[in-house]
Amino acid sequence: MSRHRHRQGEFSVTEKQKLVNAAEKFSAQSVQDDQHQSLRNLLMYAYRNVPYYRGVIQSSGLVDQFGEIRLDRFHELPLLDKSAIREQQWRLWSEKLSGMDWHYNTSGGSTGEPIRIVQDREYNQWSAAMQRFFAGWSGYSTGQPRVLLWGSERDLFVGRENVKIHLLRWLSNELWLNTFRITPELMHSYVKKINEFKPVQILAYAESAYELAKFIEREGLVVHVPKSIMTSAGTLYSQMRSKIEQVFRAPVFNRYGSREVGDIASECVHHRGLHICPLTHYVEILRQDGMPALPGEVGEVVVTLLTNYSMPFVRYRIGDMAAWAEEHCTCGCSWPMLKEVAGRVSDTFLTREGTQIHGEYFTHLFYFRSWVEKFQVIQEDYDHVKVLLVALNKDANNSEYASDLEDISNKIRVVLGDACRIEYQFVDHIPPTASGKYRYTISKAVAA
């Protein structure tokens, strides 16, 4: 990991957390004013110091005759996606990078296409501050015992955990459990470890917490009751939340973010949606035509990161679908709020006519089939769907499931058309993506 030294940021992690605490009580107008000023500062810096943005900001007319940023033309900036990041590479880096304390990171690679990015000390400190703040909403304080059900092998340093890593985890009072590849034997041992460690919080990949909850229920095990479960790194569907809360007898707090831009939003104790911190992120939700989505309307998430000047991400297509909340949260916080994160853009299925079907429609077809241990629905083309299935009873004759499969097929054809060909494959294992995330639905169909 490459690093270059520069002077420390204006505030420490603790001081940044205090700023976030104060911002929680800001009025809606103050939130907007401060966020817009942060956006102007970032755009002006990018215009002066980042080759790629110098060009696109100039051509988009964002700088007026007085040298000021015009936010009314912000929407005219081109969207940034992974292909553009690969093509532009160093042109997205700050020309002042040599004087910064920076390091390389990569995106999660959920779609199999990770990108290499540059992040600086200021970004790292803000990320740490936001993690602490969101954890506080769930009732967890730094230093209390916490279990991490984590699925990314590179985070876990599998096979390379040196003394320093073990010491840091011990000092942090954290127990890391690898869920990248998990067997029934491992799940038994993890339940035992959780019971012995007695964590205040379990921080988990959403799918990992769900699969462990199903296993605990199926095996009739008793598990320690934490104060909260915080899920991340994957879409938390309503059935998943219900099962996790039922088995662990603890509330679930959903957190949303990515490697590229850090933690974006989280639920508070009222669970009315996910609050976006205006000090760190400016979020747009766009329709297919690029216009802003209305509250409650699912659209594509576009993120501008306000804290990483070493490689600014402006109007970044993060690859997710979400909807704005239709009502304010009863907690009183006036931050922008997501109603839900609805999954990956590539989780949305398409008909040949261009109709979109949300991936959650297909997950509902499997949740209450007692014989299904795991599933994945893949739209290979507009009229071809492949379904991977792991049956709970590996020795059973697949013909036993004929009635259920017919029912599933009929319901898939309701939305994708009578001509849709549905192919079932019974497998022993469905692997996660390179980042350890599990995808229940994948669409390879391309919008016309």
Side-chain angles (χ1 to χ4, degrees):
M1 185 175 289
S2 301
R3 288 189 177 274
H4 300 277
R5 301 296 304 170
H6 86 129
R7 66 182 183 278
Q8 291 192 4
E10 186 178 355
F11 300 105
S12 67
V13 173
T14 300
E15 289 169 328
K16 285 179 170 67
Q17 188 177 349
K18 289 179 180 177
L19 292 175
V20 178
N21 290 338
E24 184 184 5
K25 301 175 178 63
F26 285 177
S27 68
Q29 188 60 54
S30 294
V31 165
Q32 185 181 81
D33 291 346
D34 284 9
Q35 188 180 55
H36 283 181
Q37 188 56 53
S38 295
L39 190 56
R40 288 190 187 93
N41 293 344
L42 176 72
L43 292 171
M44 183 56 72
Y45 178 90
Y47 175 63
R48 291 172 175 169
N49 300 287
V50 181
Y52 171 77
Y53 285 113
R54 185 177 297 128
V56 298
I57 289 175
Q58 181 69 47
S59 61
S60 299
L62 257 71
V63 180
D64 64 20
Q65 59 182 324
F66 305 108
E68 300 293 331
I69 294 292
R70 292 185 54 181
L71 287 187
D72 62 313
R73 305 197 69 164
F74 179 71
H75 66 280
E76 296 186 27
L77 280 175
L79 299 179
L80 182 71
D81 59 22
K82 289 185 177 180
S83 63
I85 292 171
R86 291 190 190 93
E87 291 169 5
Q88 297 299 326
Q89 297 184 37
W90 64 267
R91 295 189 72 247
L92 283 160
W93 298 0
S94 169
E95 293 172 336
K96 296 185 176 181
L97 194 63
S98 61
M100 295 179 172
D101 181 359
W102 63 274
H103 64 277
Y104 287 122
N105 198 354
T106 60
S107 64
S110 298
T111 59
E113 301 178 295
I115 52 172
R116 189 168 75 159
I117 54 184
V118 168
Q119 293 169 339
D120 56 38
R121 180 185 179 88
E122 191 74 1
Y123 163 83
N124 289 338
Q125 290 183 332
W126 275 110
S127 294
M130 289 312 306
Q131 287 176 3
R132 292 182 187 180
F133 179 81
F134 287 148
W137 271 352
S138 71
Y140 170 81
S141 298
T142 302
Q144 292 180 320
R146 178 166 67 170
V147 164
L148 286 88
L149 294 175
W150 217 241
S152 172
E153 289 194 299
R154 65 180 171 185
D155 285 341
L156 292 158
F157 300 95
V158 174
R160 294 179 284 118
E161 293 93 340
N162 56 31
V163 174
K164 181 180 178 181
I165 293 171
H166 283 297
L167 179 61
L168 287 173
R169 290 177 181 170
W170 179 78
L171 291 173
S172 300
N173 208 5
E174 292 178 345
L175 175 64
W176 289 60
L177 302 176
N178 183 6
T179 60
F180 189 83
R181 294 183 182 87
I182 194 164
T183 63
E185 292 75 22
L186 270 177
M187 284 195 277
H188 267 293
S189 71
Y190 286 179
V191 172
K192 182 179 179 182
K193 289 178 179 180
I194 290 170
N195 289 339
E196 292 172 349
F197 196 69
K198 295 181 171 52
V200 169
Q201 183 192 75
I202 296 176
L203 173 60
Y205 272 38
E207 189 264 342
S208 298
Y210 175 61
E211 291 298 323
L212 185 59
K214 288 197 299 179
F215 177 81
I216 291 169
E217 181 181 60
R218 191 163 61 241
E219 296 293 311
L221 303 177
V222 175
V223 67
H224 165 75
V225 178
K227 193 169 186 177
S228 64
I229 309 279
M230 179 166 275
T231 59
S232 190
T235 305
L236 179 71
Y237 296 113
S238 57
Q239 289 88 348
M240 297 168 68
R241 180 195 291 271
S242 297
K243 182 61 66 180
I244 296 167
E245 291 185 337
Q246 172 194 341
V247 171
F248 284 95
R249 292 168 289 159
V252 168
F253 290 77
N254 195 18
R255 190 181 74 182
Y256 173 52
S258 78
R259 289 184 183 275
E260 304 97 300
V261 298
D263 291 336
I264 300 169
S266 177
E267 292 180 327
C268 69
V269 294
H270 292 246
H271 302 280
R272 300 292 294 272
L274 293 88
H275 297 274
I276 299 168
C277 179
L279 276 63
T280 55
H281 298 84
Y282 180 83
V283 174
E284 303 169 78
I285 300 179
L286 304 180
R287 296 172 175 166
Q288 278 187 295
D289 61 5
M291 296 301 291
L294 297 173
E297 182 181 10
V298 174
E300 183 177 356
V301 179
V302 173
V303 179
T304 297
L305 176 62
L306 303 174
T307 60
N308 185 28
Y309 279 46
S310 60
M311 185 179 181
F313 272 45
V314 179
R315 305 201 78 203
Y316 174 58
R317 301 177 71 176
I318 197 169
D320 293 322
M321 304 291 285
W324 290 118
E326 297 165 278
E327 299 176 348
H328 294 295
C329 185
T330 48
C331 74
C333 179
S334 57
W335 294 359
M337 191 169 73
L338 301 175
K339 175 184 179 181
E340 63 174 342
V341 178
R344 302 291 291 173
V345 170
S346 53
D347 292 343
T348 301
F349 285 36
L350 294 170
T351 67
R352 197 173 295 278
E353 295 72 33
T355 302
Q356 295 185 345
I357 299 96
H358 192 284
E360 191 171 4
Y361 174 87
F362 302 95
T363 65
H364 279 273
L365 304 181
F366 297 89
Y367 279 130
F368 302 107
R369 316 278 180 179
S370 60
W371 57 272
V372 175
E373 182 177 349
K374 215 164 191 179
F375 65 89
Q376 188 175 72
V377 186
I378 305 168
Q379 185 182 27
E380 298 286 356
D381 205 342
Y382 298 114
D383 52 5
H384 179 201
V385 169
K386 181 169 68 177
V387 181
L388 302 182
L389 287 165
V390 178
L392 198 57
N393 182 1
K394 304 295 190 297
D395 298 324
N397 189 317
N398 295 345
S399 62
E400 295 180 22
Y401 315 131
S403 176
D404 273 357
L405 297 182
E406 183 180 3
D407 181 55
I408 292 168
S409 295
N410 290 337
K411 289 174 179 174
I412 290 176
R413 292 191 178 105
V414 165
V415 293
L416 293 180
D418 292 339
C420 184
R421 178 166 65 92
I422 301 160
E423 172 190 357
Y424 293 98
Q425 292 183 9
F426 283 82
V427 296
D428 293 329
H429 175 64
I430 303 174
T433 65
S435 64
K437 299 176 185 177
Y438 182 80
R439 299 179 66 192
Y440 291 92
T441 57
I442 300 171
S443 177
K444 299 179 183 178
V446 179

